[in-house]
Amino acid sequence: MVHLSSDEKGHITSLWGKVNIEQTGGEALGRLLIVYPWTSRFFDHFGDLSNAKAVMSNPKVLAHGAKVLVAFGDAINNLDHLKTTFAKLSELHCDKLHVDPENFRLLGNIIVICLAEHFGKEFTLEHQVAWQKLVAGVANALAHKYH
Amino acid sequence: MCMAPKPWTFLSFPETKTYFAHFDLSSGSRQVQAHGKKLADALTLAVSHLDDLPAALSSLSDLHAHKLKVDPINFKYLSHCLLVTLARHHPGNMNPEVHASLDKFLSYVSNILTSKYR
């Protein structure tokens, strides 16, 4: 469970309301594939991921990134119940997708960097503190059912 | 801006404060600012020696291995906060290629600084 003060919850929900979820999701997944190219191991079937331009314009990357960030939105609506919210997705990532949970932490940090890059000075120190807690909570929840 | 990553690291990753128990860690601390500047100067040195980083950072590697003994995970936390700081100071400009290059550079610097640990 992630412990967020009411101020921290406010920093999360207020910023989330301004995020273009589909666009940011695509960008976040694209950056993950560019900055940490070994993450492409899960996306052999996505086509051309050979360079940054190819990644950022790949429709499968953009679509899947959007899907991931929409699911992330479930966290924001269930801040006090992350483990139960992500139980099924955790089982899926372990049993079917075989994703190393370290990748959840990598993507979480990429999301934070995307937010900083989009919002600039509006992304304050307090925002980062709250969002780091959230992405860590989501990563832990997604890893929770691993065995 | 060079001062910014330190307090961000301390607040987002509180375990990093264990290395600075002897510091005043309150907001605006001169000690933190001064130390942040030392860090920024070291990175500036690194940037001017991109083709010979191990030699340029050798004495810092020695310091971290034999005296400071900072757990390697903390270099990742600080590197991440440096990237966040750069991103928020350059909104719209830190494109994926720049992001990847910076991440790679900071990772390389971190590896060098922990290269003599064992």
Side-chain angles (χ1 to χ4, degrees), chain A residues 10-142:
Chain A
H11 286 311
I12 289 167
T13 52
S14 62
L15 208 71
W16 189 248
K18 300 182 208 177
V19 170
N20 178 328
I21 296 172
E22 290 200 356
Q23 193 182 329
T24 304
E27 184 188 336
L29 183 62
R31 280 179 188 258
L32 182 77
L33 290 162
I34 293 163
V35 180
Y36 308 115
W38 54 90
T39 56
S40 65
R41 69 191 302 283
F42 304 108
F43 303 104
D44 280 343
H45 51 295
F46 270 25
D48 186 7
L49 300 175
S50 58
N51 59 67
K53 196 170 169 194
V55 168
M56 297 309 278
S57 57
N58 184 310
K60 286 186 176 176
V61 170
L62 300 177
H64 193 70
K67 193 174 163 186
V68 166
L69 210 63
V70 165
F72 199 89
D74 285 344
I76 305 209
N77 294 328
N78 293 281
L79 290 172
D80 295 328
H81 305 284
L82 291 181
K83 289 196 168 113
T84 42
T85 301
F86 288 106
K88 287 265 177 282
L89 271 175
S90 180
E91 286 167 3
L92 175 74
H93 282 79
C94 174
D95 300 330
K96 292 264 157 55
L97 303 177
H98 310 294
V99 175
D100 179 345
E102 178 59 20
N103 293 282
F104 308 141
R105 290 170 205 116
L106 288 179
L107 184 60
N109 279 343
I110 294 260
I111 289 170
V112 170
I113 289 173
C114 283
L115 293 174
E117 214 258 353
H118 288 173
F119 290 102
K121 300 283 170 64
E122 193 185 339
F123 190 73
T124 63
L125 192 153
E126 289 79 9
H127 280 99
Q128 191 193 356
V129 172
W131 276 89
Q132 290 297 162
K133 276 189 177 178
L134 173 63
V135 300
V138 171
N140 287 343
L142 281 170

Side-chain angles (χ1 to χ4, degrees), chain B residues 102-113:
Chain B
L102 288 167
D103 191 288
K104 199 172 169 184
F105 164 68
L106 290 169
S107 173
Y108 190 25
V109 167
S110 302
N111 286 347
I112 292 169
L113 290 176

